[in-house]
Structure formats: structure tokens, C-alpha cells
Amino acid sequence: MKEEICISRKAKGQAYPNLITLRGAGKRLNVPTFKEIHGLKAFMIAPTAIIRGVGITFGMEIRGDSEVPGMTGFYDSNLEGKMLYAAEIINEYDFGFVHIKAVDDAGHDKDLNIKVQQIEKTDRAIGKMLEKLRNKGTDTIICVTGDHTTPVRYGDHSHEPVPLVMGHINGVSVCSSKFDEIHCAKGRLGRFSGRSIIPMLVNFRNKFK
């Protein structure tokens, strides 16, 4: 709201905003980088500002801004472009993080149909990335998971465990044949803390090396 409008409303005794809350605003913390912690050179593709901030804080290279048109972080985001670009640059790094926001947005909007559509859209985009990696002959470990649950009935973040699947580019799966809570609950990995994921991926990579 413009300053003159606020002044006018205040003079009339009407309610007016007197502060602005900036969600996610902050600065880079003085913490060890991702490479210092895990020994991996990493990149991130994420148009969502708060996720980019995490990547910047931990010294991950932010990629894709000029190379991937239509990368919005919302329902219209160019997911296929993000995935194909990740497959294109992965050999320059030891680790890549591609963030997808729209599935979470659909949960906040309490829209089951859109959430299903976005999951299907994500699935197709990942499929395009895997196809490109196979065609390139790139030896890559793939991990698909979420940072939290956002049920459409609740419309906000909740505390349930999230599924995780990881596999070698040749299609060998370690966790389950399907990416859902039921199959992953019966998978070989079991339940574990999120802090265990990177060491697990490194061990998985070393196994194939």
C-alpha cells in the first residue's frame, strides 16, 4: 500500500498497515559449505527464493536461471526443461539438487486434482531426464524424495514421514518399485532421519564404483 494512502487512512482513524513481514528474508549464515561437509561439488536448480537461499548459504552453485525458460516454481513451471538441463550439466558436479515446488503449492491450495496433475507432470519430467542420462551413458545415482508432507485436507505442512527412492541410472532400485508411502514403508531402507540421506547416496555411489 502506498505511503499516502496509509497517511490518509491514519488521519481518518481508519486501520492502516504499519509494518511489512518479509517471509524468508535473511542473509547467508557463516556455516560450513556443502562441499566442506560432504566433499561434494554441488549445484542447485530452484526458482523458489527461500530454497535458493539455502543453496547459497551452503555454497551450492545456482544454475538454470538464464538457461531454462519458464522456470517459475509454480503450476506452470517448465519442469521438463529443469530436468533436462540438470542432466546436461551433471557431469560438471558431484551432486545436483533440483527443487519442485508446485506439488507443495497444490497441498496448500487444498486441490487434490491439481496435486495429482503436478505429481504426474513431475513423473514425466523425471522420465525425460532419465532418458537423456541413459542416452548419454552417464553413470548417475538418482534420488527422489520430499522435504515434508502437505496434505490437501489439511492445507499446510504436517509431520508424516515422506517416501524416498534411490537407484542407479541402469534402473536398479534400492528402496521400492513404486514411489509411494505404502511401498516405501516396506522397502529395504526402512525409516531414517533426513541427515542420513547424503551419506547413503555416497555409499550407494561407492558401491557401483
Side-chain angles (χ1 to χ4, degrees), residues 141-145 164-167 197 201:
I141 303 298
I142 302 295
C143 176
V144 182
T145 188
L164 178 145
V165 62
M166 63 175 68
I197 294 177
L201 288 171

mmCIF file of all heavy atoms in Angstrom, residues 141-145 164-167 197 201:
data_model
loop_
_atom_site.group_PDB
_atom_site.id
_atom_site.type_symbol
_atom_site.label_atom_id
_atom_site.label_comp_id
_atom_site.label_asym_id
_atom_site.label_seq_id
_atom_site.Cartn_x
_atom_site.Cartn_y
_atom_site.Cartn_z
ATOM 1 N N ILE A 141 23.577 -41.627 -9.880
ATOM 2 C CA ILE A 141 22.665 -42.095 -8.843
ATOM 3 C C ILE A 141 21.515 -41.092 -8.742
ATOM 4 O O ILE A 141 21.748 -39.885 -8.635
ATOM 5 C CB ILE A 141 23.376 -42.213 -7.471
ATOM 6 C CG1 ILE A 141 24.587 -43.133 -7.573
ATOM 7 C CG2 ILE A 141 22.399 -42.685 -6.405
ATOM 8 C CD1 ILE A 141 24.276 -44.550 -7.966
ATOM 9 N N ILE A 142 20.293 -41.578 -8.783
ATOM 10 C CA ILE A 142 19.110 -40.725 -8.714
ATOM 11 C C ILE A 142 18.391 -40.939 -7.384
ATOM 12 O O ILE A 142 18.215 -42.073 -6.942
ATOM 13 C CB ILE A 142 18.130 -41.040 -9.860
ATOM 14 C CG1 ILE A 142 18.821 -40.869 -11.218
ATOM 15 C CG2 ILE A 142 16.891 -40.149 -9.769
ATOM 16 C CD1 ILE A 142 19.234 -39.454 -11.521
ATOM 17 N N CYS A 143 17.974 -39.846 -6.752
ATOM 18 C CA CYS A 143 17.196 -39.920 -5.513
ATOM 19 C C CYS A 143 15.993 -38.995 -5.642
ATOM 20 O O CYS A 143 16.146 -37.827 -6.003
ATOM 21 C CB CYS A 143 18.051 -39.525 -4.309
ATOM 22 S SG CYS A 143 17.138 -39.482 -2.750
ATOM 23 N N VAL A 144 14.807 -39.513 -5.369
ATOM 24 C CA VAL A 144 13.581 -38.709 -5.407
ATOM 25 C C VAL A 144 12.934 -38.768 -4.027
ATOM 26 O O VAL A 144 12.674 -39.849 -3.495
ATOM 27 C CB VAL A 144 12.590 -39.232 -6.467
ATOM 28 C CG1 VAL A 144 11.340 -38.348 -6.507
ATOM 29 C CG2 VAL A 144 13.245 -39.297 -7.839
ATOM 30 N N THR A 145 12.680 -37.602 -3.449
ATOM 31 C CA THR A 145 12.038 -37.563 -2.135
ATOM 32 C C THR A 145 11.396 -36.197 -1.938
ATOM 33 O O THR A 145 11.376 -35.359 -2.846
ATOM 34 C CB THR A 145 13.053 -37.860 -1.011
ATOM 35 O OG1 THR A 145 12.352 -38.007 0.223
ATOM 36 C CG2 THR A 145 14.084 -36.753 -0.882
ATOM 37 N N LEU A 164 10.988 -42.135 -0.075
ATOM 38 C CA LEU A 164 12.266 -41.877 -0.742
ATOM 39 C C LEU A 164 12.622 -43.077 -1.592
ATOM 40 O O LEU A 164 12.474 -44.215 -1.152
ATOM 41 C CB LEU A 164 13.361 -41.605 0.291
ATOM 42 C CG LEU A 164 14.774 -41.362 -0.246
ATOM 43 C CD1 LEU A 164 15.495 -40.341 0.617
ATOM 44 C CD2 LEU A 164 15.589 -42.653 -0.311
ATOM 45 N N VAL A 165 13.061 -42.812 -2.798
ATOM 46 C CA VAL A 165 13.545 -43.890 -3.661
ATOM 47 C C VAL A 165 14.863 -43.449 -4.265
ATOM 48 O O VAL A 165 15.026 -42.280 -4.635
ATOM 49 C CB VAL A 165 12.515 -44.243 -4.766
ATOM 50 C CG1 VAL A 165 12.257 -43.064 -5.677
ATOM 51 C CG2 VAL A 165 12.979 -45.450 -5.576
ATOM 52 N N MET A 166 15.814 -44.345 -4.309
ATOM 53 C CA MET A 166 17.084 -44.046 -4.963
ATOM 54 C C MET A 166 17.473 -45.230 -5.830
ATOM 55 O O MET A 166 17.098 -46.375 -5.554
ATOM 56 C CB MET A 166 18.184 -43.742 -3.945
ATOM 57 C CG MET A 166 18.553 -44.872 -3.015
ATOM 58 S SD MET A 166 19.963 -44.456 -1.938
ATOM 59 C CE MET A 166 19.249 -43.195 -0.901
ATOM 60 N N GLY A 167 18.175 -44.950 -6.887
ATOM 61 C CA GLY A 167 18.550 -46.025 -7.782
ATOM 62 C C GLY A 167 19.657 -45.602 -8.723
ATOM 63 O O GLY A 167 19.935 -44.417 -8.901
ATOM 64 N N ILE A 197 20.542 -39.128 4.442
ATOM 65 C CA ILE A 197 20.364 -39.308 3.002
ATOM 66 C C ILE A 197 21.660 -39.140 2.225
ATOM 67 O O ILE A 197 22.009 -39.983 1.390
ATOM 68 C CB ILE A 197 19.293 -38.330 2.467
ATOM 69 C CG1 ILE A 197 17.926 -38.685 3.065
ATOM 70 C CG2 ILE A 197 19.226 -38.398 0.945
ATOM 71 C CD1 ILE A 197 16.813 -37.740 2.662
ATOM 72 N N LEU A 201 23.597 -41.884 -0.114
ATOM 73 C CA LEU A 201 23.840 -41.706 -1.537
ATOM 74 C C LEU A 201 25.320 -41.902 -1.873
ATOM 75 O O LEU A 201 25.665 -42.505 -2.892
ATOM 76 C CB LEU A 201 23.383 -40.313 -1.975
ATOM 77 C CG LEU A 201 21.876 -40.080 -2.030
ATOM 78 C CD1 LEU A 201 21.568 -38.607 -2.267
ATOM 79 C CD2 LEU A 201 21.243 -40.917 -3.133
#
